[in-house]
């Protein structure tokens, strides 16, 4: 029998996170205050985040201990399995070996609890009573709701209105974990009211929901803010994915030639690839590929510049690939990939040509997703389908070049809450939404002058 699953014992859960900041080839650009445009310090972030998180955000220590209390919760589903995708390989007729790390076994169905749990923990030990956050498709909101329930914290979720209406099951999941969920823009914050005044029918965006959650945290003493992607500490927490993957590949005597992840804010991609950065810097031939939707092509068509993390301009300015903070992504089903910006760490590594980026259309990714479902069985999250499409294209390249490379992709989550999107695909109601050059010019013209 062929071995499909490479399984680590529970005692092999990583005990430390890997911090790529210790090994970045060049120093990064500091985040700036949105008002003064001067570099910010820990004191500026203190209204939003507890101190242990702020310390991790700026830390350059290579290995950071994972607290026992966090490991205890992570062990509910970690280590996660690494699969050899024999069936997919056969279906596309590639000589390549394709592996996928499956993060969908987590309680809320994606990689996001890997950071939600430590964030809730550090808030708990710092005296926080409530966490405010935003969610797009609902993956992050569900993960944080679960984590807050584990550590006895209240949780308020500003959910992008279009998703709130389209994805009632995600809302129900968050409410089951005990969270309060509101459709953003709301009329409970100044940011939300400002947007509604301009456009009463606004269906919301991640940028707007972030503004609301940040304002909520900044104006309540017992409340902090939490972000599920983009920031350095989030990528740090996600490195358990790549650290486990490395061990699993060693167990079967493999070395990755290509690592692939879908990229929204960069956390599941970073989680997979960052632990391999020292190998690459040490001379190992290993490609890292970020896959994004052509409807929100931040890395492939955006610019590398300082921009606001949110729509209203309350969040710090960070240097990243961006489509402009006024960018309104088309209503594609990969809600987690609809952010105008990207992780500063991933952006820098793309800028320095350590990581490559490609974009695929919605229809192409759903085609890849259904091939994966029919062959490997798991119905993937629409976000993860981008990584699958990336892996299939690499597999086809290996066929053309007659190479038997080892391709590893991150299957960041399952799609069992996204079935209406599959319904639309099956009924041929899904369309490709491309970003026009004019629209891009308009949103990039509004970038802040730094
Ligand atoms: C949120 C999400 C993503 C995109 O976010 P990243 O921070 O880029 O990882 C990808 N896949 C799934 C399943 C998600 O929930």
């Amino acid at each position: 029998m062929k071995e499909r699953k490479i399984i680590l014992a529970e005692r092999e859960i990583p005990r430390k996170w890997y911090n790529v900041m210790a090994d970045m080839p060049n120093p990064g650009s500091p985040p700036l205050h949105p008002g003064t445009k001067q570099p910010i310090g820990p004191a500026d972030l203190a209204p939003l985040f507890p101190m242990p998180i702020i310390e991790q955000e700026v830390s350059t220590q290579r290995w950071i201990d994972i607290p026992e209390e966090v490991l205890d919760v992570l062990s509910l589903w970690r280590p996660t399995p690494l699969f050899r995708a024999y069936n997919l390989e056969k279906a596309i007729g590639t000589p390549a070996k394709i592996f996928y790390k499956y993060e969908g076994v987590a309680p809320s169905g994606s990689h996001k609890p890997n950071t939600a749990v430590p964030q809730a923990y550090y808030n708990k030990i710092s005296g926080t009573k409530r966490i405010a956050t935003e969610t797009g498709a609902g993956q992050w909101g569900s993960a944080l709701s679960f984590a807050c329930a584990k550590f006895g914290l209240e949780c308020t979720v500003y959910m992008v209105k279009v998703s709130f209406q389209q994805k009632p099951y995600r809302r129900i999941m968050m409410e089951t974990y005990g969270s309060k969920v509101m459709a953003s823009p709301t009329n409970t914050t100044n940011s939300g009211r400002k947007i509604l005044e301009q456009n009463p029918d606004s269906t919301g965006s991640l940028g707007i929901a972030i503004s609301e959650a940040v304002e909520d945290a900044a104006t309540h003493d017992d409340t902090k803010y939490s972000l599920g992607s983009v920031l350095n500490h989030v990528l740090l927490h996600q490195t358990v994915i790549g650290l486990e993957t490395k061990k699993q590949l060693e167990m079967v005597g493999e070395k990755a030639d290509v690592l692939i992840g879908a990229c929204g804010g960069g956390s599941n991609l970073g989680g997979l690839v960052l632990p391999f950065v020292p190998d690459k810097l040490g001379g190992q031939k290993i490609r890292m590929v970020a896959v994004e939707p052509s409807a929100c092509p931040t890395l492939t068509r955006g610019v590398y510049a300082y921009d606001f993390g949110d729509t209203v301009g309350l969040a710090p300015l960070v240097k990243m690939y961006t489509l402009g903070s006024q960018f309104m992504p088309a209503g594609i089903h990969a809600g987690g990939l609809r952010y105008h910006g990207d992780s500063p760490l991933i952006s820098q590594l793309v800028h320095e040509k350590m990581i490559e980026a490609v974009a695929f259309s919605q229809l192409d990714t759903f085609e890849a997703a259904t091939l994966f479902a029919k062959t490997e069985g798991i119905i993937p999250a629409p976000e993860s389908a981008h990584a699958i499409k990336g892996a299939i294209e690499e597999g086809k390249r290996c066929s053309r070049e007659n190479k038997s490379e080892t391709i590893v992709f991150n299957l960041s989550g399952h799609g069992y809450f996204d079935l209406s999107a599959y319904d639309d695909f099956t009924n041929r109601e899904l369309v490709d939404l491309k970003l026009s050059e004019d629209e891009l010019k308009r949103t990039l013209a509004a970038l802040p002058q730094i």
Side-chain angles (χ1 to χ4, degrees):
M1 244 178 79
K2 290 189 252 191
E3 271 202 63
R4 289 180 194 278
K5 294 187 286 299
I6 304 148
I7 310 271
L8 291 171
E10 230 172 88
R11 63 174 183 281
E12 292 175 281
I13 289 187
R15 304 284 155 151
K16 293 173 195 291
W17 291 299
Y18 166 69
N19 183 9
V20 76
M21 302 249 275
D23 294 317
M24 288 296 277
N26 294 298
S29 308
L32 307 178
H33 190 282
T36 64
K37 302 199 164 99
Q38 295 301 310
I40 52 170
D44 296 301
L45 292 173
L48 298 184
F49 301 104
M51 211 33 91
I53 292 283
I54 296 173
E55 282 163 11
Q56 289 183 350
E57 186 60 23
V58 297
S59 171
T60 53
Q61 186 181 316
R62 186 170 287 110
W63 294 99
I64 296 180
D65 284 333
I66 307 179
E68 278 301 321
E69 293 85 343
V70 171
L71 285 171
D72 186 59
V73 181
L74 294 184
S75 71
L76 284 172
W77 72 94
R78 302 210 75 83
T80 61
L82 181 74
F83 286 85
R84 171 87 185 263
Y86 285 111
N87 301 339
L88 181 66
E89 288 169 16
K90 193 164 158 216
I92 60 173
T94 179
K97 299 172 200 166
I98 303 181
F99 292 86
Y100 60 95
K101 179 72 166 162
Y102 186 37
E103 289 296 308
V105 293
S108 61
S110 80
H111 65 292
K112 291 206 170 73
N114 295 332
T115 183
V117 170
Q119 290 198 51
Y121 167 76
Y122 289 121
N123 270 288
K124 181 68 182 180
I125 61 168
S126 306
T128 305
K129 295 278 178 287
R130 181 170 71 96
I131 298 183
T133 197
E134 72 288 334
T135 196
Q139 292 272 20
W140 169 241
S142 325
L144 190 68
S145 298
F146 156 71
C148 284
K150 287 302 303 169
F151 290 104
L153 293 165
E154 289 173 48
C155 183
T156 305
V157 183
Y158 294 86
M159 185 174 190
V160 177
K161 191 178 274 170
V162 61
S163 304
F164 186 94
Q165 290 160 347
Q166 280 177 355
K167 305 203 169 189
Y169 293 120
R170 278 281 168 198
R171 169 182 57 75
I172 294 166
M173 190 175 193
M174 292 183 261
E175 289 173 348
T176 303
Y177 285 127
S179 291
K180 182 174 175 195
V181 186
M182 288 185 285
S184 166
T186 73
N187 56 17
T188 64
T189 65
N190 286 332
S191 306
R193 284 188 290 267
K194 187 170 154 192
I195 298 287
L196 287 174
E197 260 164 41
Q198 290 162 359
N199 177 10
D201 299 323
S202 168
T203 53
S205 74
L206 215 46
I208 295 170
I210 294 175
S211 301
E212 290 206 89
V214 165
E215 180 184 326
D216 183 340
T219 53
H220 293 91
D221 279 347
D222 62 352
T223 304
K224 294 286 187 229
Y225 170 68
S226 176
L227 191 60
S229 185
V230 177
L231 298 179
N232 301 344
H233 65 270
V234 177
L235 273 66
L236 173 78
H237 300 155
Q238 292 293 354
T239 57
V240 290
I241 301 172
L243 293 168
E244 286 179 6
T245 302
K246 233 182 197 189
K247 271 197 198 170
Q248 287 163 311
L249 289 171
E250 273 165 25
M251 279 167 72
V252 290
E254 295 289 344
K255 268 201 166 123
D257 294 298
V258 191
L259 295 168
I260 302 171
C263 191
S267 75
N268 86 86
L269 170 78
L272 176 68
V273 309
L274 295 182
F276 292 85
V277 164
D279 306 84
K280 185 160 173 144
L281 288 173
Q284 193 181 317
K285 271 215 164 90
I286 176 164
R287 291 173 48 226
M288 302 171 175
V289 183
V291 186
E292 57 185 16
S294 43
C296 189
T298 315
L299 297 170
T300 49
R301 289 175 67 195
V303 295
Y304 186 51
Y306 269 106
D307 197 8
F308 296 104
D310 65 330
T311 304
V312 176
L314 301 177
L317 288 154
V318 292
K319 183 127 180 217
M320 60 182 176
Y321 277 94
T322 178
L323 298 165
S325 61
Q326 302 306 307
F327 175 73
M328 278 290 170
I332 54 167
H333 285 277
L337 306 183
R338 293 174 71 225
Y339 184 54
H340 70 270
D342 225 308
S343 144
L345 276 174
I346 297 294
S347 295
Q348 192 185 335
L349 289 170
V350 169
H351 188 65
E352 292 173 358
K353 311 247 182 296
M354 230 6 205
I355 298 179
E356 307 163 32
V358 285
F360 295 112
S361 76
Q362 172 156 261
L363 285 175
D364 285 349
T365 58
F366 269 88
E367 210 149 293
T370 40
L371 176 64
F372 186 81
K374 285 173 188 163
T375 52
E376 297 293 326
I378 299 165
I379 298 181
E383 292 86 356
S384 317
H386 290 72
I388 298 173
K389 173 69 179 166
I392 291 175
E393 288 307 308
E394 288 295 327
K396 288 184 177 166
R397 175 188 56 77
C398 286
S399 300
R400 287 193 303 274
E401 298 175 359
N402 201 15
K403 280 188 182 151
S404 156
E405 291 183 15
T406 300
I407 299 166
V408 183
F409 73 87
N410 196 356
L411 189 64
S412 51
H414 66 62
Y416 300 119
F417 291 97
D418 303 284
L419 292 177
S420 66
Y422 283 90
D423 201 27
D424 289 349
F425 178 68
T426 308
N427 297 325
R428 299 177 186 282
E429 280 162 18
L430 271 197
V431 288
D432 274 340
L433 304 154
K434 228 178 170 231
L435 170 59
S436 79
E437 215 36 67
D438 285 349
E439 171 64 5
L440 186 58
K441 265 201 199 126
R442 189 186 67 79
T443 55
L444 286 179
L447 281 181
Q449 299 301 314
I450 306 291

